[in-house]
Amino acid sequence: MPFRVDLPQTFSDRVIGLGDGEYLAGMWVCSGSPVAAEIAAASGMQWVLIDAEHSPIGLETTTSLLRAMNGYPATPVVRVPVNDRVLIKQYLDLGAQNLLVPMIDTKSDAEAAVAAVHYPPRGVRGVGSALARASRWNAVDGYLGRAEELVSLTVQIESATAVDNAAEIAAVDGIDQVFVGPSDLAASMGLLGQQTHPDVTDAVARTFEAVKAAGKRVGVNAFDPDQARKYLDAGASFVLVGADVGLMMNGARAWADTWVRD
């Protein structure tokens, strides 16, 4: 009898299952190291973001990182480099169930992302699952017919334009949740590097309100612990609070401060 293969629940399943006051805490993996990814997945963090946008992480490396994290309770989410249907198809086929698509500024951007993650007739995803890890090479029973329930799509709002369009973006059918990026948002507002500037945090709060009014869950990146807690109090359902490279650098610098003598 063939071995039955089931895929884990999606990021959306976990987010939707949150009760009042609950949230998912996560961290980035930017190094491309499978060891770092496995440590992150085993750490107790509830989700881990593999960053293929700002890190030297390509398709093959993403596959290795997902394999390293397999079997741990943390849910892996992959941020693709760009809202491109060819790349999105490749990331889906290599087995990335949960995608975060950056730089979504308009309703049409959001609609393009939705189309990219779905097979026809709803979308434009190419059909190659029998040859790919996504279906575990056809070991997942009925993958093509169930693909919609096995994939999660989060889009990232990270510009002043996107904040203005947040309600329309969140309302697009197929957008499962929205993630806010204060760093690029601050830059787009002329406040480069000032993620906790009052104007930026106000824009984040307005985005939260728009997304929640559309009936969707919202998350945010916040490395400042106090700011992260404020965003959680404001209704964030998921948050990123650190990164593998940041933890290593901060730890190494602390050791250097302790042990290095001029």
Side-chain angles (χ1 to χ4, degrees), residues 29-50:
V29 168
C30 304
S31 65
S33 164
V35 174
E38 187 167 4
I39 289 171
S43 69
M45 281 294 188
Q46 295 157 301
W47 67 294
V48 176
L49 183 68
I50 297 170

Side-chain angles (χ1 to χ4, degrees), residues 57-144:
I57 297 175
L59 296 166
E60 292 86 353
T61 302
T62 299
T63 306
S64 296
L65 300 182
L66 290 172
R67 285 175 173 150
M69 295 175 63
N70 191 50
Y72 290 98
T75 299
V77 178
V78 177
R79 181 163 73 170
V80 299
V82 65
N83 187 12
D84 177 88
R85 71 182 191 180
V86 174
L87 272 176
I88 287 173
K89 170 180 63 180
Q90 290 181 294
Y91 278 97
L92 289 171
D93 282 350
L94 66 80
Q97 283 181 266
N98 309 296
L99 297 187
L100 173 60
V101 180
M103 295 294 180
I104 300 298
D105 289 328
T106 64
K107 177 183 178 181
S108 62
D109 290 342
E111 290 171 339
V114 171
V117 304
H118 291 290
Y119 289 121
R122 184 178 183 183
V124 295
R125 179 183 176 186
V127 182
S129 62
L131 309 174
R133 183 174 178 270
S135 71
R136 301 306 188 266
W137 303 275
N138 260 1
V140 175
D141 187 48
Y143 177 83
L144 286 177

Side-chain angles (χ1 to χ4, degrees), residues 151-210:
V151 172
S152 166
L153 175 61
T154 307
V155 295
Q156 188 162 355
I157 285 178
E158 48 189 330
S159 71
T161 298
V163 171
D164 291 339
N165 294 325
E168 286 190 348
I169 291 169
V172 171
D173 184 34
I175 300 299
D176 295 310
Q177 48 272 324
V178 173
F179 184 73
V180 184
S183 295
D184 277 300
L185 176 56
S188 78
M189 297 171 65
L191 297 166
L192 183 65
Q194 301 180 61
Q195 293 92 321
T196 58
H197 188 283
D199 291 347
V200 177
T201 56
D202 177 69
V204 173
R206 286 188 282 115
T207 304
F208 278 21
E209 292 171 3

Side-chain angles (χ1 to χ4, degrees), residues 183-255:
S183 295
D184 277 300
L185 176 56
S188 78
M189 297 171 65
L191 297 166
L192 183 65
Q194 301 180 61
Q195 293 92 321
T196 58
H197 188 283
D199 291 347
V200 177
T201 56
D202 177 69
V204 173
R206 286 188 282 115
T207 304
F208 278 21
E209 292 171 3
V211 173
K212 290 189 292 182
K216 304 292 176 67
R217 300 292 187 109
V218 64
V220 66
N221 188 57
F223 284 11
D224 179 278
D226 291 334
Q227 190 60 55
R229 292 185 184 95
K230 290 177 182 177
Y231 284 144
L232 290 170
D233 289 341
S237 294
F238 51 102
V239 62
L240 289 171
V241 294
D244 60 343
V245 291
L247 290 170
M248 185 174 181
M249 175 57 82
N250 291 338
R253 289 172 65 89
W255 277 18

